[in-house]
Each structure stands twice: as C-alpha cells, then as structure tokens.
Amino acid sequence: MNLCKENGSFRMDWTRAEIAALFDRPFLDLLFEAQQVHRARHAANEVQLSTLLSIKTGGCAEDCGYCSQSAFAKSGLKAEKLMEVETVLTAAREAKAAGSGRFCMGAAWREPKDRDMDAVCAMVAGVKAMGLETCMTLGMLSDEQAARLAHAGLDYYNHNVDTSPEYYGEVITTRTYQERLDTLDRVRAAGMSVCSGGIVGMGESREDRIGFLHTLATLPAHPESVPINALVPIQGTSLGDRLIAEQNVKIDDIEFVRTVAVARIAMPRSMVRLSAGRESMSEATQALCFLAGANSIFTGDKLLTTGNAGTSADAALFAKLGLRPMTSEEPARVAAE
Ligand code: SAM
Ligand code: DTB
Ligand code: SF4
C-alpha cells in the first residue's frame, strides 16, 4: 500500500481500490486493525458525548430523501420558527448537567438568512460560555457567515457529504455535491473544525459506501469528526417509505460495522461518531462499532426529530462495556503526535 503522501502522520491519498480492499478484508482482521489504529491515536474505552437540539424544525426547502424536515416530505412534521436564544441555552444547561461535552444545534435550512445570524451567534456564545463545546449545522454557509460563527465561538460545523458522488443524485436534487464541498472549504477557511459524514442504508451499494469514505478521506484535511448515520426510516420521506415497504433492506449490521472500521483506518485521527440509527441497533452491534473505532455518540432521548437510545440506556451500555465518557479529546491526540 502506498504510504508516500502523508499530511503530518496520516494519509490523505487513499485510492478507491485501497478503500475497497479494506472493506473486503476478513471481518476479524479488519476489526483488529481498526482497533490498533484507534488505540494509537485515541484513548481506549473512552467515548465522546454530544447532545443534539433542533433549533429550527421543519419546512426546509431542500429535498433530501431521508429527511422528515424537508418541505417535500409528507412526514406530518409541523414547521416551527427559530427557537428563542434563552430556550436553547436552557436545553444546553440540561445537556451539560446530563454529562454531555458538546452541544450540537441543527436548523432545517438550505442556508441561514443573514437576519438570523445575530440570534444564532448569541446561541453559540451562550453555550460556549457554559464550558460546552459548540457545534452547529445550518446548511450551506457564505464566507461571511462562516467567519461570524467562528468569531462567536463555534468549535465545529456539521455538514455531511451524505453518500458517494455517484449515488448523491438519488438522494438530493436541490443542492449539488460540489456545493457541499464548497461549504466544507469555507468552514475550514474560517478556522472551525469540520464535522462531515453521511448515511448508510439508503439503498446504496458497497461501491457507494467506498466512494463516500473516499471523498472524506481525500479532503484537503480529514474532518475532525465523522458521523456515520444509519438511515432512520421516516414515514412520508421517499427513502424511508422505500425502506418500510421493502422490509429487511435495512443495512446489514456487519456491513455497518465494516463501514465504521474503514472510516477509522482511513481517517485515524478523526472522531468517528456512531450517530443516527443507534436506537434500533442491538447492544452487541453497538459494541462492535466501538471495537471498530467509533468513539463518539449522541446522547439524550432525541436526535433532531426522531428518538435516540436515551441517557439511561446509554449509561447501562457504558457500564456493561466498561466505557467512560471522554472528558477531553486533547490528551489522546497530543500523545499521538
Ligand atoms: N439542514 C442542515 C443540513 O442538511 O446540512 C442540517 C440538518 S440535517 C438534518 C443533518 C444531517 O442529518 C443530514 O445531513 C443527514 O446526514 C442526517 N440525517 C437527517 N435525517 C436522517 C435520517 N432520517 N436518518 C439518518 N440520518 C439523517
Ligand atoms: C448527523 O450526521 N446526524 C445528526 C447530526 N449530524 C445533525 C442528525 C441525525 C438526524 C436523524 C433524524 C432526525 O432526528 O430527524
Ligand atoms: Fe433540509 Fe437538512 Fe433535512 Fe436536507 S437534511 S431537508 S437540508 S433539514
């Protein structure tokens, strides 16, 4: 395997054939290597906890085929206005009290309107002042908006590539793949950390999962955070309805774990987040995901509009597996430099 072009001490020049070869490895070899890569860069048995809040729900102009919040979906979700700053800060305080280290605020927007930026920046500053890490996902950003968010104290911006460039058109038609990459560039240029991943189980092929991880692993810099979501099938969305109609097309658990392991090996320093879809995953599958190198989850009983595993279920799973909530990402990273 070509190890020549590296950025710092990790590779940025993965080919699709190399990513495909990782997917093809015997499962136990793949997990063994993923766990070794993981332990070289991250604290073993530690999982970072993030909490999500939908600060502006529904009525979105984009047509993402998985999303309950798209105006094109018949999910029955009521469109709401942007939340008041104080309401958001109250939710952040509760998340901190529940042990979360990062508060992620999501808005069902194609992009923020400039008139919303004051409120959004006040949310960032208020959450940051509580000692929480801040994350937002608001759709596409202009250079100016990215700079304002960074100035307000935003640590992470989440913007997913979602899938491979080839499968993308099956999922979304109102925003191009290139527009997503452009937003990621703007986030980087503004000095924020990038959170970018996608969804598996949307009817894509393994080749698409390879293309999806290849896109992320060959960005100018690896995203600091890589959320791997399993499609949560939502009635009234085009992809959800298809999954519900064709029973048993849910992503195979072993293939999901392979995807996590390949993400870990291809992007050694990134935090790999076991994101949406955990609620319908067995404890054993989640444990395999942690073994494969996942080291971050969303806690709390709600994601944006759908249910999540819930704090007590997570506490029980952590106790069973001997996992600890991560208090800081820094020591593991610094030790690995
Ligand atoms: N509107 C913003 C955007 O699309 O960038 C932010 C919110 S959006 C809901 C954030 C991400 O959640 C999407 O990019 C997608 O990857 C994920 N997501 C949304 N609905 C999902 C579902 N039903 N199952 C799994 N992941 C989902
Ligand atoms: C991400 O990749 N997953 C989160 C977060 N980024 C914003 C969102 C998951 C949403 C799941 C469906 C819902 O609750 O509406
Ligand atoms: Fe809108 Fe984001 Fe949902 Fe797409 S994923 S419809 S952009 S809220």
Side-chain angles (χ1 to χ4, degrees):
M1 197 172 277
N2 171 16
L3 288 166
C4 59
K5 192 180 161 205
E6 298 192 348
N7 176 349
S9 53
F10 49 97
R11 294 188 51 195
M12 312 298 291
D13 66 343
W14 292 96
T15 65
R16 276 204 183 201
E18 287 167 337
I19 305 256
L22 289 174
F23 266 98
D24 283 342
R25 294 189 69 178
F27 186 66
L28 301 185
D29 290 353
L30 178 64
L31 256 62
F32 184 62
E33 182 173 347
Q35 184 60 206
Q36 282 180 311
V37 169
H38 183 75
R39 284 176 185 241
R41 301 275 178 187
H42 303 272
N45 305 307
E46 287 195 6
V47 176
Q48 191 274 335
L49 307 181
S50 294
T51 301
L52 270 173
L53 177 71
S54 180
I55 59 169
K56 196 274 162 210
T57 303
C60 182
E62 303 272 11
D63 69 353
C64 311
Y66 46 77
C67 187
S68 59
Q69 309 200 67
S70 165
F72 295 84
K74 295 184 177 60
S75 60
L77 198 75
K78 202 170 115 282
E80 291 169 12
K81 288 195 306 199
L82 180 63
M83 268 184 188
E84 297 294 331
V85 176
E86 267 317 312
T87 314
V88 173
L89 298 187
T90 301
R93 247 172 247 120
E94 287 167 7
K96 186 173 161 74
S100 196
R102 187 177 307 166
F103 196 63
C104 307
M105 296 158 268
W109 284 328
R110 176 173 164 76
E111 69 251 297
K113 297 208 168 50
D114 285 338
R115 64 164 189 257
D116 293 317
M117 289 305 290
D118 284 347
V120 159
C121 288
M123 291 171 192
V124 171
V127 173
K128 182 99 178 151
M130 290 173 201
L132 281 163
E133 289 181 317
T134 53
C135 176
M136 278 197 158
T137 177
L138 313 172
M140 293 185 282
L141 292 182
S142 67
D143 288 328
E144 295 71 28
Q145 289 170 334
R148 281 200 64 187
L149 289 169
H151 185 71
L154 191 62
D155 298 308
Y156 290 80
Y157 195 80
N158 166 243
H159 199 64
N160 291 341
V161 298
D162 274 351
T163 187
S164 68
E166 294 79 13
Y167 197 66
Y168 184 82
E170 301 287 318
V171 180
I172 300 136
T173 67
T174 50
R175 175 200 299 173
T176 65
Y177 208 74
Q178 188 55 49
E179 282 175 310
R180 291 194 180 240
L181 299 176
D182 292 345
T183 292
L184 295 180
D185 283 346
R186 294 195 179 104
V187 170
R188 257 296 160 237
M192 291 179 284
S193 292
V194 169
C195 171
S196 188
I199 311 178
V200 294
M202 297 192 292
E204 79 285 343
S205 62
R206 176 178 281 183
E207 190 55 39
D208 293 312
R209 290 186 280 280
I210 293 164
F212 152 58
L213 292 184
H214 179 257
T215 296
L216 296 172
T218 56
L219 286 172
H222 291 165
E224 280 75 8
S225 172
V226 177
I228 310 284
N229 298 276
L231 177 68
V232 178
I234 298 168
Q235 212 155 23
T237 62
S238 57
L239 292 171
D241 284 347
R242 193 168 78 190
L243 200 105
I244 293 161
E246 300 166 21
Q247 287 164 8
N248 281 332
V249 291
K250 181 179 165 284
I251 182 85
D252 175 66
D253 285 343
I254 299 295
E255 182 69 6
F256 185 83
V257 176
R258 277 187 188 276
T259 308
V260 170
V262 175
R264 163 53 62 229
I265 294 168
M267 293 171 278
R269 230 165 61 140
S270 306
M271 303 293 289
V272 176
R273 182 169 306 117
L274 174 54
S275 302
R278 220 161 50 77
E279 199 190 27
S280 59
M281 244 173 238
S282 68
E283 286 186 340
T285 301
Q286 293 184 58
L288 282 176
C289 289
F290 295 129
L291 191 61
N295 62 344
S296 172
I297 58 168
F298 287 120
T299 53
D301 50 18
K302 204 169 171 201
L303 292 168
L304 290 173
T305 68
T306 64
N308 192 26
T311 311
S312 51
D314 288 341
L317 181 62
F318 274 42
K320 220 183 239 191
L321 300 179
L323 295 174
R324 295 182 299 274
M326 194 176 287
T327 45
S328 160
E329 288 171 31
E330 290 312 316
R333 287 203 181 169
V334 171
E337 294 307 323

